[in-house]
Amino acid sequence: NAGVTQTPKFQVLKTGQSMTLQCAQDMNHNSMYWYRQDPGMGLRLIYYSASEGTTDKGEVPNGYNVSRLNKREFSLRLESAAPSQTSVYFCASSEGGIGQETQYFGPGTRLLVL
Amino acid sequence: AQSVTQPDIHITVSEGASLELRCNYSYGATPYLFWYVQSPGQGLQLLLKYFSGDTLVQGIKGFEAEFKRSQSSFNLRKPSVHWSDAAEYFCAVGAQFTGRRALTFGSGTRLQVQP
């Protein structure tokens, strides 16, 4: 049982380049999330998807787009990367999604924007 | 809006000593509270959670936490720390009945264990 997987594990971009972070879960969860983690700031929610076909903005959505491709997959896209987007990105999933369900996290993608 | 404060950025304890990590939350209703642990280079793993009922909850790896409504706290404890407990610990609060579909995390406490 792989749980939540993320690709790539590490990426270096130049300012203005685009990229898509991939996330997949095999637990048949309805809800999926994208967080970013910055030193001293904990995790901040970028976007979430309560169910297949729906997405909503979180706390820090600017500069990002998401796609809930199907129940398993939830991708995060940076259209024009900026140095401020240097961070570690975590995908998570939960069976339900009203803040009380346990969230399961992937191993993270470390992104450096030069 | 809900918020979580972890007042200690970094804590160092000796192996075998007891541990208490502090967490204070702000939320108008009964919160759902979580503690997660993050080992270096890894994702987050759930240690324990509180939804309702007994205010002292047991988790994995010998951790426990106590919900104190009067103090708006949910402190994490372990009676005897092992070197493998060195990690970063995050407290989080979830919303109830507001439709918010995610957690609000504290800024984390990094635990260092001395031999």
PDB file of all heavy atoms in Angstrom, chain A residues 47 50 78:
ATOM      1  N   TYR A  47      -4.334  24.806  -2.050  1.00  0.00           N
ATOM      2  CA  TYR A  47      -5.618  24.438  -2.649  1.00  0.00           C
ATOM      3  C   TYR A  47      -6.059  23.117  -2.047  1.00  0.00           C
ATOM      4  O   TYR A  47      -5.247  22.339  -1.557  1.00  0.00           O
ATOM      5  CB  TYR A  47      -5.480  24.249  -4.167  1.00  0.00           C
ATOM      6  CG  TYR A  47      -5.687  25.472  -5.002  1.00  0.00           C
ATOM      7  CD1 TYR A  47      -4.614  26.272  -5.374  1.00  0.00           C
ATOM      8  CD2 TYR A  47      -6.966  25.827  -5.453  1.00  0.00           C
ATOM      9  CE1 TYR A  47      -4.798  27.399  -6.171  1.00  0.00           C
ATOM     10  CE2 TYR A  47      -7.167  26.941  -6.246  1.00  0.00           C
ATOM     11  CZ  TYR A  47      -6.073  27.731  -6.604  1.00  0.00           C
ATOM     12  OH  TYR A  47      -6.260  28.835  -7.390  1.00  0.00           O
ATOM     13  N   ALA A  50     -12.340  18.786  -2.320  1.00  0.00           N
ATOM     14  CA  ALA A  50     -13.191  18.027  -1.413  1.00  0.00           C
ATOM     15  C   ALA A  50     -13.679  16.732  -2.056  1.00  0.00           C
ATOM     16  O   ALA A  50     -13.983  15.763  -1.360  1.00  0.00           O
ATOM     17  CB  ALA A  50     -14.384  18.876  -0.973  1.00  0.00           C
ATOM     18  N   LEU A  78       2.593  25.376 -11.370  1.00  0.00           N
ATOM     19  CA  LEU A  78       3.160  26.709 -11.277  1.00  0.00           C
ATOM     20  C   LEU A  78       3.330  27.203 -12.715  1.00  0.00           C
ATOM     21  O   LEU A  78       4.130  26.649 -13.472  1.00  0.00           O
ATOM     22  CB  LEU A  78       4.507  26.691 -10.567  1.00  0.00           C
ATOM     23  CG  LEU A  78       4.528  26.471  -9.060  1.00  0.00           C
ATOM     24  CD1 LEU A  78       4.144  25.042  -8.691  1.00  0.00           C
ATOM     25  CD2 LEU A  78       5.906  26.804  -8.503  1.00  0.00           C
TER      26      LEU A  78
END
